[in-house]
Amino acid sequence: MVGAAGRGDAPVRAIAFYLPQFHRIPENDRWWGEGFTEWTNVRRARPLFPGHEQPKAPGALGWYDLTEPGVAERQAALAREHGLHGFCYYFYWFNGKRLLERPLEAMLARGTPDFPFCVCWANENWTRRWDGREQDVLMAQHYSAEDGVRLFDEFLRLFRDPRYIRVDGRPLLLVYKASLIPDVARITAIWRERAAASGVAEPYLVYCETGEPTDPPSLGFDASVEFPPHRHHAHWLNAQVRGLDPGYTGMLTSYRALVAQSVSRDVSGARRLRCVAPSWDNTARQGLRGTVFVGSSPELFGYWVETMVRDTRRRLDGDERLLFVNAWNEWAEGCCLEPDARYGTQYLEALHAGLAAGARLPVVSLERPRFRDVVRDTRAEIDAGELVVARHGATPEDGAHGVSVVMPVYNHERYLGRALASLAAQTLAPCELVAVDDGSSDAGDAVIERFARTAPFPVTLARQRNRGAHVALNRGLALARGRTIALLNSDDEFHPRRLERLSAVLDDATGFAFSDAELIDDEGRPAHGADADSLRAAIARANAHATIVETLLARNVAISTGNFMFGRALLDAIGGFAALEICHDWDFVLAATRHTRVLRVAEPLYRYRLHGGNTVTMRVFTGLMDVERLLRRFLATLPTHPRVDDLARARIHDQVEDRGQKGLMPA
C-alpha cells in the first residue's frame, strides 16, 4: 500500500479510539439507572486478587463530564503534547436514532479543540451484555440500502470539517463490525457513489478486526485495522494467581503474550493498520466474568508502540502510515491512555517515547540475510569507509584449511585480554582471528592491536559504528577466510582443547557443533548464585529431550553465538544472522538443524561469563519478543523439517502446548 504522495519519510500518525459515554443520556437513565455514565461501572469495580488495580481511578482529568466546558480542550492538549495525531470517536446510529452524540456535536459546533478527528460507526445492537443478558436488546440495529444513504449523509457533514482526518485527501471512516452488515460490499459501494455525487472525495474505508480478518476489497473496504485484544490466543493464568476470588469465572491472561503475538504476527501481505492497547481489564463492566490481562506496564506498552511504528514504516507509505490505540478513555475496560491515579501520565509518556523511537530507528528486515548479500554489503561498507579494516600478519587464502575465529567486540575491554589469551592457548591454533569492534566506547580495540603484534596467527581488526551484534557477526563472517568458522564472545573464554575437539567432529554430515559450557564469574571462577543455578537447571532439563531439535526448541542450550563452530558452506544455505536484538544466536542454530546434523559435545569446552553487563539481562522485553518471533518462524517449518519424524513432531507439539505457547503452532 503506497500513498499517492509516495513519501517514504512520512510520519506515522497515531489515532486513539474515543468513547463518548461520560455524560448522562435519557436512555441510559432508563436502562441502567438514574445518572448512569461510564464512571458508574468504574467506581463500583472491586479487586479480585492481591495487587489487582480496581477500582481504577482517574488522574489529572478527574471524574469528568464530557458536557462540561473545557474538558475536550484539556483532553486534546494532553493528547497533542504526547504525540497523538487525533481521536476516532465512536459514532452511534440506529436507523436514524443517534446516541451519545453530544460531545462530537459540541466539538463541531464550537470549532474547538483544533484537534484532528474521525469516526468509527459502532454498529452493534445495544444489549444488556454487561449484565450477562446479551439476548436482551435495548436498541436494535437494522440494515438497508435506504438507511445506508441516510447514515452516509450524516458522515458527509463530518467530512466537510477541516479537522477531519484524511488519507491522501480521502476522509477516513471506520466500521466496527462490518461482518454484521448484510451485503456489506453493496453498502460501501453506495457510500462511494454518494460521496462522488456530493462532490466529496470517496472515503478511505477501514473495518475493525473484531473477528477473523477478511481481504478488505472483498468487503468493499480499503484496509482493516487490528483491534486488540480481539484475535489474541490467551494464556490461561488463573491457576497461577494466588488469592483469586473463588467466585471468579473469567480469565486472567498475559499482556506480555498479547504484545508478543502482535509483534510476531506476519502482516506483510495484508492491507492492515496496526493497533496497540495500553492494558485491558473489563471487570468494571463484567465483574466476576471479566477478562484481565496481567503484566501491563508503561515500558512494555512503549516497546509495543515503537515496534508497531517500525512495522508501519516498513510496510506503508504516505498518509496510510496510521497507528491506532485502543483506547483513549475506555475506563471500564481498563484500557485508557488518560492519566490515572497509579501511573499518572506514564502511559502517555511511553506512547510519546515509542512513537519517537520508532520514527528514529532504521527499518530493517528480521529475516536472515542471504550470505552473498552480506558479503556484498560488507565490501560496499569498506569502500564507503563505514567499515575500517586493518590486517596484521599474512591473510590466509580464501577457503583455507583451518579455523577462522570471528569475535564481535563491544565494550568488553575488561575481559578481552583473557578471551584473547584463551585463543592463543589453543592446542589447535586458528588460521586467523577476525575481530569486529561495534562502536565500543572503551579501549578494547587497543587491546586487540597489542595482541596482534605478537599473536601466533594473523589478526584482522575491523571497526564500525554501533550497529548491533548481528551486524558485527555478519561483517566478521564476510571477512573470514577459513573453511571452518568458530565464534567467540569478547567477554568469554575457550577451553584450551576447544578448537581441536570441535574440529574433529565436523565432517560432511555434521556441519555444526557446540559444546557444554562452564559458567564463570567476573574473575573466571565458577559462577554461583540464583541466576547461575537457574540457567544450569534449565539447560539440564532441555538436554534430557530425545533429539537435538527438541532440545534446542526447549532452550538454546548452546547459550551464545560464542559457542558455535560450523562449516563456512553452511552460510550459503541459511544466510547470516538476523536482526533479532537478543535471540539471533538461537534463530541461527535452529535454522542450521534443517540443513545439517547439529552435534552437542558433552564437555565444558566453552567458558561463558555471567556478569551484570550481559546483553540479554539488559533488554528483557526485547528478548521476550524475539523468542516469540523466532519460535513462530521455526515452528511454521516443522511439518517439512528433514530431521524431525512424526513422533518427534508430536512430542514438540506437546512441549509447546505445555509451555502455554500453542498459539505459535501453525494451524
Side-chain angles (χ1 to χ4, degrees):
M1 298 165 65
V2 179
R7 300 189 309 275
D9 60 345
V12 174
R13 296 181 291 170
I15 301 170
F17 289 101
Y18 183 100
L19 181 70
Q21 191 164 225
F22 293 90
H23 64 94
R24 289 180 59 175
I25 62 173
E27 291 83 0
N28 274 339
D29 285 346
R30 185 167 66 252
W31 295 332
W32 306 105
E34 189 74 18
F36 177 89
T37 72
E38 191 76 358
W39 294 126
T40 306
N41 288 319
V42 176
R43 284 189 170 100
R44 69 188 180 195
R46 294 293 177 264
L48 301 177
F49 53 88
H52 185 202
E53 188 197 348
Q54 287 292 6
K56 187 178 178 70
L61 294 174
W63 304 88
Y64 55 74
D65 183 320
L66 288 178
T67 63
E68 294 175 355
V71 172
E73 283 73 14
R74 291 197 299 274
Q75 288 177 319
L78 261 178
R80 183 185 295 108
E81 179 185 348
H82 292 92
L84 268 181
H85 176 75
F87 289 143
C88 181
Y89 287 78
Y90 286 116
F91 188 94
Y92 299 93
W93 164 280
F94 299 89
N95 309 107
K97 173 66 175 176
R98 296 272 306 275
L99 293 178
L100 300 174
E101 74 280 3
R102 288 180 64 188
L104 178 60
E105 292 299 325
M107 182 267 292
L108 292 168
R110 287 192 314 266
T112 61
D114 185 15
F115 192 62
F117 75 97
C118 62
V119 295
C120 174
W121 179 26
N123 63 311
E124 286 187 301
N125 290 336
W126 272 34
T127 69
R128 292 192 180 276
R129 182 176 57 192
W130 296 344
D131 285 353
R133 294 154 58 188
E134 191 161 1
Q135 73 282 358
D136 189 353
V137 177
L138 303 173
M139 183 71 75
Q141 188 76 256
H142 302 291
Y143 302 97
S144 68
E146 294 75 16
D147 186 64
V149 170
R150 289 195 297 157
L151 170 60
F152 194 72
D153 285 347
E154 289 290 312
F155 294 148
L156 283 172
R157 187 170 57 89
L158 306 179
F159 296 164
R160 293 188 171 98
D161 191 291
R163 293 167 292 178
Y164 200 88
I165 297 170
R166 289 168 168 78
V167 174
D168 297 327
R170 301 165 59 190
L172 175 64
L173 176 60
L174 283 72
V175 175
Y176 183 64
K177 280 202 170 179
S179 61
L180 296 180
I181 304 174
D183 197 6
V184 63
R186 174 58 182 149
I187 297 297
T188 55
I190 289 172
W191 289 354
R192 295 182 193 278
E193 294 163 4
R194 191 72 176 168
S198 303
V200 174
E202 70 173 48
Y204 186 89
L205 295 175
V206 178
Y207 77 83
C208 299
E209 292 184 0
T210 51
E212 283 302 309
T214 304
D215 184 46
S218 69
L219 301 177
F221 286 79
D222 295 282
S224 64
V225 61
E226 296 173 322
F227 206 83
H230 285 276
R231 301 187 61 238
H232 168 66
H233 297 287
H235 292 195
W236 192 73
L237 301 178
N238 295 38
Q240 300 179 31
V241 176
R242 295 182 178 179
L244 184 62
D245 189 307
Y248 181 64
T249 59
M251 176 177 285
L252 305 183
T253 188
S254 167
Y255 180 82
R256 181 190 71 79
L258 175 69
V259 176
Q261 290 175 25
S262 169
V263 168
S264 60
R265 187 174 296 130
D266 183 10
V267 298
S268 298
R271 299 174 65 84
R272 176 175 290 150
L273 307 176
R274 307 309 297 267
C275 184
V276 296
S279 54
W280 182 271
D281 177 354
N282 67 356
T283 55
R285 286 184 177 175
Q286 299 281 349
L288 293 171
R289 296 174 290 105
T291 299
V292 182
F293 281 77
V294 297
S296 169
S297 69
E299 294 82 4
L300 187 48
F301 172 64
Y303 170 84
W304 193 5
V305 172
E306 175 189 325
T307 307
M308 293 298 94
V309 170
R310 294 173 71 180
D311 177 76
T312 300
R313 290 172 56 213
R314 177 178 63 85
R315 295 184 302 110
L316 307 177
D317 220 331
D319 282 355
E320 288 183 309
R321 287 183 168 178
L322 300 173
L323 174 66
F324 282 82
V325 183
N326 184 26
W328 173 256
N329 60 344
E330 284 278 10
W331 283 90
E333 292 182 338
C335 183
C336 49
L337 285 173
E338 286 183 330
D340 66 18
R342 177 180 179 183
Y343 288 102
T345 59
Q346 289 183 44
Y347 277 94
L348 278 168
E349 292 163 7
L351 172 76
H352 199 196
L355 290 169
R360 182 178 64 250
L361 294 171
V363 178
V364 296
S365 170
L366 299 176
E367 302 296 322
R368 287 181 303 278
R370 295 179 301 180
F371 190 59
R372 63 176 178 269
D373 294 338
V374 170
V375 173
R376 179 203 62 203
D377 293 345
T378 301
R379 289 171 179 164
E381 291 188 0
I382 292 172
D383 292 342
E386 296 178 7
L387 183 69
V388 179
V389 179
R391 296 192 182 273
H392 303 267
T395 303
E397 294 291 327
D398 194 30
H401 292 287
V403 181
S404 290
V405 176
V406 173
M407 176 191 286
V409 180
Y410 183 68
N411 286 345
H412 284 154
E413 177 185 6
R414 177 180 177 183
Y415 308 110
L416 258 172
R418 281 174 278 183
L420 295 168
S422 77
L423 189 54
Q426 290 297 295
T427 55
L428 174 66
C431 67
E432 64 172 340
L433 166 66
V434 178
V436 181
D437 186 87
D438 187 36
S440 298
S441 58
D442 62 12
D445 57 346
V447 174
I448 297 171
E449 286 182 328
R450 288 195 299 272
F451 174 79
R453 296 187 194 115
T454 58
F457 42 78
V459 175
T460 295
L461 174 60
R463 296 177 175 90
Q464 65 179 23
R465 62 183 172 83
N466 183 237
R467 304 276 299 281
H470 67 284
V471 177
L473 283 162
N474 287 338
R475 297 295 166 260
L477 293 173
L479 293 170
R481 296 290 182 263
R483 188 175 298 175
T484 303
I485 304 291
L487 306 179
L488 171 60
N489 292 345
S490 54
D491 55 342
D492 294 339
E493 301 172 22
F494 279 173
H495 182 282
R497 294 188 62 210
R498 175 177 175 81
L499 295 186
E500 177 187 352
R501 286 288 293 115
L502 265 64
S503 293
V505 302
L506 293 178
D507 55 28
D508 291 342
T510 304
F512 192 110
F514 64 91
S515 72
D516 285 349
E518 177 188 0
L519 305 184
I520 59 175
D521 63 15
D522 267 19
E523 304 307 319
R525 298 184 294 261
H528 297 288
D531 288 345
D533 291 345
S534 176
L535 181 55
R536 289 188 184 100
I539 291 173
R541 288 193 298 271
N543 280 333
H545 285 281
T547 67
I548 191 66
V549 174
E550 293 168 76
T551 290
L552 288 169
L553 266 176
R555 181 93 189 187
N556 179 16
V557 295
I559 300 180
S560 172
T561 55
N563 197 8
F564 292 176
M565 182 182 284
F566 51 87
R568 180 188 178 92
L570 185 63
L571 294 169
D572 293 328
I574 67 174
F577 286 88
L580 299 170
E581 295 186 49
I582 301 294
C583 297
H584 52 274
D585 51 351
W586 199 3
D587 175 71
F588 190 88
V589 67
L590 282 173
T593 65
R594 289 187 59 85
H595 297 278
T596 189
R597 181 184 180 218
V598 173
L599 181 66
R600 166 190 163 232
V601 176
E603 300 175 42
L605 302 174
Y606 192 74
R607 308 188 76 214
Y608 180 74
R609 195 180 308 279
L610 292 174
H611 56 84
N614 283 85
T615 303
V616 81
T617 65
M618 294 170 65
R619 297 202 293 270
V620 176
F621 292 142
T622 302
L624 294 172
M625 300 308 110
D626 274 3
V627 168
E628 298 273 358
R629 181 183 290 111
L630 77 89
L631 288 178
R632 186 182 298 276
R633 177 187 295 171
F634 183 79
L635 290 169
T637 70
L638 198 60
T640 60
H641 196 295
R643 291 173 176 80
V644 178
D645 60 21
D646 289 342
L647 286 175
R649 267 187 280 275
R651 290 193 300 266
I652 288 171
H653 186 279
D654 291 343
Q655 178 193 140
V656 171
E657 187 166 1
D658 288 345
R659 291 205 304 253
Q661 295 171 324
K662 184 178 180 181
L664 301 180
M665 292 290 291

Short mmCIF file of all heavy atoms in Angstrom, two decimals, residues 540-570:
data_model
loop_
_atom_site.label_atom_id
_atom_site.label_comp_id
_atom_site.label_asym_id
_atom_site.label_seq_id
_atom_site.Cartn_x
_atom_site.Cartn_y
_atom_site.Cartn_z
N ALA A 540 19.95 -28.43 31.81
CA ALA A 540 19.86 -29.86 32.11
C ALA A 540 18.50 -30.41 31.69
O ALA A 540 18.41 -31.51 31.12
CB ALA A 540 20.11 -30.10 33.59
N ARG A 541 17.43 -29.67 31.97
CA ARG A 541 16.09 -30.12 31.57
C ARG A 541 15.98 -30.22 30.05
O ARG A 541 15.42 -31.18 29.51
CB ARG A 541 15.02 -29.17 32.12
CG ARG A 541 14.80 -29.25 33.61
CD ARG A 541 13.52 -28.53 34.02
NE ARG A 541 13.57 -27.11 33.70
CZ ARG A 541 14.04 -26.17 34.51
NH1 ARG A 541 14.53 -26.51 35.71
NH2 ARG A 541 14.02 -24.90 34.15
N ALA A 542 16.51 -29.24 29.37
CA ALA A 542 16.43 -29.25 27.91
C ALA A 542 17.24 -30.39 27.31
O ALA A 542 16.82 -31.05 26.36
CB ALA A 542 16.91 -27.91 27.35
N ASN A 543 18.41 -30.65 27.87
CA ASN A 543 19.27 -31.71 27.35
C ASN A 543 18.68 -33.10 27.54
O ASN A 543 19.14 -34.07 26.92
CB ASN A 543 20.65 -31.65 28.01
CG ASN A 543 21.54 -30.58 27.41
OD1 ASN A 543 21.38 -30.21 26.24
ND2 ASN A 543 22.49 -30.07 28.19
N ALA A 544 17.65 -33.21 28.36
CA ALA A 544 17.02 -34.52 28.59
C ALA A 544 16.08 -34.91 27.46
O ALA A 544 15.60 -36.05 27.42
CB ALA A 544 16.25 -34.49 29.91
N HIS A 545 15.80 -34.00 26.52
CA HIS A 545 14.91 -34.33 25.40
C HIS A 545 15.57 -35.35 24.47
O HIS A 545 16.80 -35.51 24.45
CB HIS A 545 14.54 -33.07 24.64
CG HIS A 545 13.53 -32.22 25.36
ND1 HIS A 545 12.18 -32.50 25.36
CD2 HIS A 545 13.67 -31.11 26.11
CE1 HIS A 545 11.54 -31.60 26.08
NE2 HIS A 545 12.43 -30.73 26.54
N ALA A 546 14.75 -36.00 23.67
CA ALA A 546 15.21 -37.15 22.89
C ALA A 546 16.09 -36.77 21.71
O ALA A 546 16.99 -37.53 21.32
CB ALA A 546 14.00 -37.95 22.40
N THR A 547 15.84 -35.62 21.08
CA THR A 547 16.59 -35.24 19.90
C THR A 547 17.14 -33.83 20.05
O THR A 547 16.66 -33.04 20.87
CB THR A 547 15.70 -35.29 18.64
OG1 THR A 547 14.71 -34.25 18.73
CG2 THR A 547 15.03 -36.64 18.47
N ILE A 548 18.14 -33.50 19.25
CA ILE A 548 18.76 -32.19 19.34
C ILE A 548 17.78 -31.08 18.96
O ILE A 548 17.81 -29.99 19.53
CB ILE A 548 20.03 -32.12 18.46
CG1 ILE A 548 20.83 -30.84 18.76
CG2 ILE A 548 19.68 -32.20 16.98
CD1 ILE A 548 21.43 -30.78 20.14
N VAL A 549 16.86 -31.36 18.04
CA VAL A 549 15.88 -30.33 17.66
C VAL A 549 14.95 -30.05 18.84
O VAL A 549 14.67 -28.88 19.15
CB VAL A 549 15.08 -30.76 16.41
CG1 VAL A 549 13.97 -29.75 16.12
CG2 VAL A 549 16.01 -30.88 15.21
N GLU A 550 14.47 -31.11 19.50
CA GLU A 550 13.61 -30.91 20.66
C GLU A 550 14.35 -30.18 21.78
O GLU A 550 13.80 -29.30 22.45
CB GLU A 550 13.10 -32.26 21.16
CG GLU A 550 12.15 -32.95 20.20
CD GLU A 550 11.90 -34.39 20.60
OE1 GLU A 550 11.13 -34.60 21.55
OE2 GLU A 550 12.48 -35.29 19.95
N THR A 551 15.61 -30.53 21.97
CA THR A 551 16.43 -29.85 22.98
C THR A 551 16.55 -28.37 22.68
O THR A 551 16.34 -27.51 23.54
CB THR A 551 17.82 -30.49 23.04
OG1 THR A 551 17.71 -31.79 23.60
CG2 THR A 551 18.78 -29.66 23.90
N LEU A 552 16.88 -28.04 21.43
CA LEU A 552 17.09 -26.64 21.06
C LEU A 552 15.79 -25.85 21.04
O LEU A 552 15.82 -24.62 21.24
CB LEU A 552 17.79 -26.56 19.70
CG LEU A 552 19.26 -26.97 19.72
CD1 LEU A 552 19.80 -27.12 18.31
CD2 LEU A 552 20.10 -25.95 20.49
N LEU A 553 14.67 -26.51 20.80
CA LEU A 553 13.39 -25.80 20.89
C LEU A 553 13.04 -25.50 22.34
O LEU A 553 12.42 -24.48 22.65
CB LEU A 553 12.28 -26.63 20.26
CG LEU A 553 11.98 -26.34 18.80
CD1 LEU A 553 10.92 -27.30 18.28
CD2 LEU A 553 11.50 -24.90 18.61
N ALA A 554 13.43 -26.39 23.25
CA ALA A 554 13.15 -26.17 24.67
C ALA A 554 14.01 -25.05 25.23
O ALA A 554 13.56 -24.25 26.06
CB ALA A 554 13.40 -27.46 25.45
N ARG A 555 15.25 -24.94 24.73
CA ARG A 555 16.19 -23.95 25.26
C ARG A 555 17.37 -23.85 24.32
O ARG A 555 17.79 -24.84 23.73
CB ARG A 555 16.70 -24.40 26.64
CG ARG A 555 17.67 -23.46 27.30
CD ARG A 555 16.94 -22.51 28.20
NE ARG A 555 17.81 -21.45 28.70
CZ ARG A 555 17.44 -20.57 29.62
NH1 ARG A 555 16.24 -20.67 30.16
NH2 ARG A 555 18.24 -19.61 30.01
N ASN A 556 17.91 -22.67 24.18
CA ASN A 556 19.15 -22.55 23.43
C ASN A 556 20.29 -23.01 24.33
O ASN A 556 20.95 -22.22 25.01
CB ASN A 556 19.39 -21.10 23.00
CG ASN A 556 20.69 -20.94 22.24
OD1 ASN A 556 21.28 -21.92 21.78
ND2 ASN A 556 21.15 -19.71 22.10
N VAL A 557 20.50 -24.34 24.36
CA VAL A 557 21.49 -24.90 25.28
C VAL A 557 22.92 -24.54 24.88
O VAL A 557 23.84 -24.71 25.68
CB VAL A 557 21.33 -26.43 25.39
CG1 VAL A 557 20.00 -26.78 26.04
CG2 VAL A 557 21.46 -27.11 24.04
N ALA A 558 23.12 -24.06 23.66
CA ALA A 558 24.44 -23.56 23.29
C ALA A 558 24.74 -22.25 23.99
O ALA A 558 25.90 -21.82 24.07
CB ALA A 558 24.53 -23.37 21.77
N ILE A 559 23.72 -21.58 24.48
CA ILE A 559 23.75 -20.35 25.28
C ILE A 559 24.06 -19.11 24.45
O ILE A 559 23.42 -18.08 24.59
CB ILE A 559 24.76 -20.43 26.45
CG1 ILE A 559 24.41 -21.58 27.39
CG2 ILE A 559 24.79 -19.11 27.22
CD1 ILE A 559 25.35 -21.72 28.57
N SER A 560 25.07 -19.19 23.56
CA SER A 560 25.54 -17.97 22.91
C SER A 560 26.20 -18.29 21.57
O SER A 560 26.66 -19.41 21.35
CB SER A 560 26.54 -17.26 23.83
OG SER A 560 27.15 -16.19 23.18
N THR A 561 26.27 -17.28 20.70
CA THR A 561 26.99 -17.46 19.44
C THR A 561 28.43 -17.88 19.66
O THR A 561 29.02 -18.58 18.85
CB THR A 561 26.98 -16.15 18.62
OG1 THR A 561 27.52 -15.09 19.42
CG2 THR A 561 25.60 -15.79 18.17
N GLY A 562 29.03 -17.44 20.77
CA GLY A 562 30.43 -17.77 21.04
C GLY A 562 30.69 -19.25 21.17
O GLY A 562 31.84 -19.69 21.14
N ASN A 563 29.64 -20.03 21.29
CA ASN A 563 29.77 -21.49 21.43
C ASN A 563 29.52 -22.21 20.11
O ASN A 563 29.36 -23.42 20.08
CB ASN A 563 28.77 -21.98 22.49
CG ASN A 563 29.09 -23.37 23.01
OD1 ASN A 563 30.13 -23.95 22.70
ND2 ASN A 563 28.18 -23.93 23.78
N PHE A 564 29.51 -21.48 18.99
CA PHE A 564 29.22 -22.08 17.69
C PHE A 564 30.51 -22.38 16.93
O PHE A 564 31.43 -21.56 16.90
CB PHE A 564 28.40 -21.13 16.82
CG PHE A 564 26.98 -20.87 17.27
CD1 PHE A 564 26.19 -19.96 16.59
CD2 PHE A 564 26.44 -21.51 18.38
CE1 PHE A 564 24.89 -19.70 16.99
CE2 PHE A 564 25.14 -21.26 18.79
CZ PHE A 564 24.38 -20.35 18.09
N MET A 565 30.53 -23.53 16.26
CA MET A 565 31.54 -23.82 15.24
C MET A 565 30.81 -24.50 14.09
O MET A 565 30.00 -25.41 14.31
CB MET A 565 32.67 -24.70 15.76
CG MET A 565 33.74 -24.97 14.70
SD MET A 565 35.08 -26.07 15.25
CE MET A 565 36.00 -24.94 16.29
N PHE A 566 31.07 -24.09 12.86
CA PHE A 566 30.35 -24.65 11.72
C PHE A 566 31.17 -24.48 10.45
O PHE A 566 32.10 -23.65 10.38
CB PHE A 566 28.99 -23.97 11.56
CG PHE A 566 29.04 -22.47 11.53
CD1 PHE A 566 29.25 -21.76 10.36
CD2 PHE A 566 28.87 -21.75 12.70
CE1 PHE A 566 29.30 -20.39 10.34
CE2 PHE A 566 28.91 -20.36 12.71
CZ PHE A 566 29.12 -19.67 11.53
N GLY A 567 30.83 -25.30 9.46
CA GLY A 567 31.46 -25.17 8.16
C GLY A 567 31.00 -23.91 7.45
O GLY A 567 29.82 -23.57 7.47
N ARG A 568 31.92 -23.23 6.81
CA ARG A 568 31.60 -21.98 6.12
C ARG A 568 30.50 -22.20 5.06
O ARG A 568 29.67 -21.31 4.82
CB ARG A 568 32.87 -21.44 5.46
CG ARG A 568 32.71 -20.14 4.70
CD ARG A 568 34.00 -19.80 3.95
NE ARG A 568 33.86 -18.58 3.18
CZ ARG A 568 34.18 -17.38 3.63
NH1 ARG A 568 34.67 -17.24 4.86
NH2 ARG A 568 34.03 -16.31 2.87
N ALA A 569 30.45 -23.39 4.47
CA ALA A 569 29.45 -23.67 3.44
C ALA A 569 28.03 -23.56 3.97
O ALA A 569 27.09 -23.32 3.21
CB ALA A 569 29.68 -25.07 2.86
N LEU A 570 27.85 -23.73 5.29
CA LEU A 570 26.51 -23.63 5.86
C LEU A 570 25.91 -22.25 5.65
O LEU A 570 24.69 -22.10 5.55
CB LEU A 570 26.57 -23.97 7.36
CG LEU A 570 25.24 -24.04 8.11
CD1 LEU A 570 24.36 -25.15 7.57
CD2 LEU A 570 25.49 -24.24 9.61
#
